[in-house]
Amino acid sequence: MDYHSPASFAEASALAQNATGITRFLAGGTDVLVQLRSELVTPDTLIDIKKINGVHDITRSSDGSWTLGVAATGAEMSEHPELGHDWPGVVEAMDLIGSTQVQGRATLTGNLCNGSPAADSVPAMVAAGVTVTVTGPEGVRDVAVENIPTGPGRTSLAKGEVISSVNIPARGENGGDAYLRFIPRTEMDIAVVGVGVNLRLDGDIITEARVSLGAVAPTVLLVEEAARAIIGTTLDDVALDALAAAASAACNPIDDKRGTIAFRTEVAGVLAKRTAKIAYARAKGEQA
């Protein structure tokens, strides 16, 4: 195995572009190192990006948007004094991943690039409208999070491309987000269903919304029909029922030991209602 510790993302991209065999990037390592130790994947080239300047930074721009370094951990996100105030759903989703020890290493970028349909942080990021900056042989581009996973364990990143930052939009006024999941155990389990909701209000009326589902299809879903079900409403019972129906209709799950197709489909609708209520309360400045 060839190990590299580049000083820049351009160097990391060049190393990956010229590498042969299996290449993995190392940021937090909670997926890569576990896969390596269990011999599920043995990389020919391991590119450690933790020493690149700024990869642990969490910064807020003058317009209210956020930029997170690719090695910023779940613990660093949870401990940040302002990020969770703006985007509690994103922070809470990341905080659900693993144990306290894992939180000290796990990253949004790793959770995204692992390509799991059940990743907790990804539906929350999709609902929030998060983008990632990708550095590659052809230069730098921004990509919506929902366009990164292409299937279980697969992403749209081309050879030589590496995510170089995570970009969260400005929260703005009268907005709120939330993420909920269903798991068989109390904690540290894989989501059977996950739901992220982000919305904005004008008075009591929802004017903007994004709804995302996890663990119910080969990739995390952005469900526009579910968003349309609640835009223009005060999230009354009729709107909530329409939201649940749209969420369930979007599901394309599998049967496995954690849940059946019918169960996942039903739970998606139930969780969509609950998550939307929390996001709505947060947008109104109320206790969720």
Side-chain angles (χ1 to χ4, degrees), residues 30-248:
T30 56
D31 287 314
V32 170
L33 294 181
V34 170
Q35 293 167 4
L36 193 156
R37 287 173 65 92
S38 60
E39 298 183 347
L40 292 174
V41 176
T42 302
D44 299 288
T45 302
L46 188 63
I47 303 173
D48 186 346
I49 59 177
K50 293 193 297 298
K51 295 182 181 179
I52 298 175
N53 187 45
V55 294
H56 280 281
D57 293 351
I58 299 175
T59 57
R60 189 178 190 177
S61 302
S62 58
D63 65 357
S65 62
W66 293 86
T67 301
L68 276 62
V70 295
T73 66
E76 289 168 335
M77 291 173 61
S78 296
E79 292 167 2
H80 194 278
E82 297 176 350
L83 179 61
H85 179 267
D86 269 10
W87 292 101
V90 174
V91 173
E92 290 168 354
M94 186 64 196
D95 191 49
L96 290 172
I97 298 171
S99 63
T100 299
Q101 292 87 345
V102 168
Q103 281 292 307
R105 301 288 292 185
T107 67
L108 287 175
T109 308
N111 200 225
L112 173 61
C113 290
N114 195 44
S116 170
D120 282 308
S121 73
V122 180
M125 286 195 286
V126 170
V130 174
T131 64
V132 292
T133 300
V134 177
T135 299
E138 304 301 319
V140 178
R141 62 192 178 101
D142 288 334
V143 183
V145 163
E146 58 266 29
N147 294 328
I148 293 295
T150 58
R154 302 194 305 274
T155 74
S156 62
L157 298 174
K159 181 177 175 60
E161 289 192 321
V162 55
I163 292 178
S164 47
S165 70
V166 178
N167 315 303
I168 308 178
R171 170 69 281 174
E173 297 182 353
N174 306 315
D177 75 317
Y179 173 79
L180 291 176
R181 69 176 182 182
F182 176 83
I183 57 174
R185 299 187 298 173
T186 304
E187 58 185 344
M188 289 195 294
D189 210 337
I190 300 172
V192 176
V193 178
V195 180
V197 175
N198 176 39
L199 49 79
R200 190 177 310 282
L201 305 180
D202 182 358
D204 292 335
I205 304 295
I206 299 172
T207 58
E208 301 173 24
R210 287 171 66 93
V211 179
S212 181
L213 303 178
V216 296
T219 63
V220 171
L221 303 175
L222 175 63
V223 188
E224 295 180 356
E225 187 64 30
R228 286 194 289 268
I230 59 175
I231 291 175
T233 77
T234 58
L235 205 66
D236 54 19
D237 288 343
V238 173
L240 286 168
D241 287 343
L243 167 66
S248 292

